[in-house]
Amino acid sequence: MSLFEKMKALVAFYEEVLSMPHRSEIVRELRDQDDMFLFMLYSEMLGIPNPAYYYTLELYPYMMEQFHDWHLRMGMDKSPMTGFRCC
């Protein structure tokens, strides 16, 4: 093992030690960001004006898999949109 590889392993270990106590906070923050992104993506269909609606239309097919989990996390038992049947 060269000196460079040892230093790289040491830095990776250091980053792991620093992030370990905050892992749940990081996961929660990433989930909140995903929830906000999905809300912005589907806001036009929920009746909230979205100025970027035209540009977000292309993302719908990719985000439909996550839509069911998102509306359950937001407290909606059934899909709020009549055109999307995911439940």
Side-chain angles (χ1 to χ4, degrees):
M1 214 176 188
S2 69
L3 180 61
F4 178 71
E5 291 173 356
K6 289 180 183 178
M7 289 298 290
K8 194 174 178 181
L10 181 64
V11 167
F13 175 73
Y14 178 72
E15 288 179 3
E16 184 69 25
V17 167
L18 286 179
S19 68
M20 190 170 296
H22 305 289
R23 193 171 304 271
S24 64
E25 294 173 17
I26 292 169
V27 169
R28 189 179 321 116
E29 183 64 31
L30 288 173
R31 187 183 66 227
D32 289 346
Q33 288 179 0
D34 284 344
D35 289 345
M36 181 57 76
F37 177 73
L38 284 170
F39 175 72
M40 294 299 293
L41 184 68
Y42 294 111
S43 65
E44 187 75 28
M45 292 184 175
L46 295 172
I48 302 169
N50 180 2
Y53 178 70
Y54 176 77
Y55 301 105
T56 59
L57 280 174
E58 297 175 2
L59 299 174
Y60 284 175
Y62 303 108
M63 305 308 286
M64 280 308 298
E65 296 174 7
Q66 298 176 2
F67 179 73
H68 179 69
D69 295 331
W70 173 75
H71 79 75
L72 289 178
R73 273 196 313 270
M74 295 296 114
M76 299 176 234
D77 294 334
K78 299 202 181 215
S79 174
M81 295 175 243
T82 56
F84 291 159
R85 296 185 57 168
C86 68
C87 302

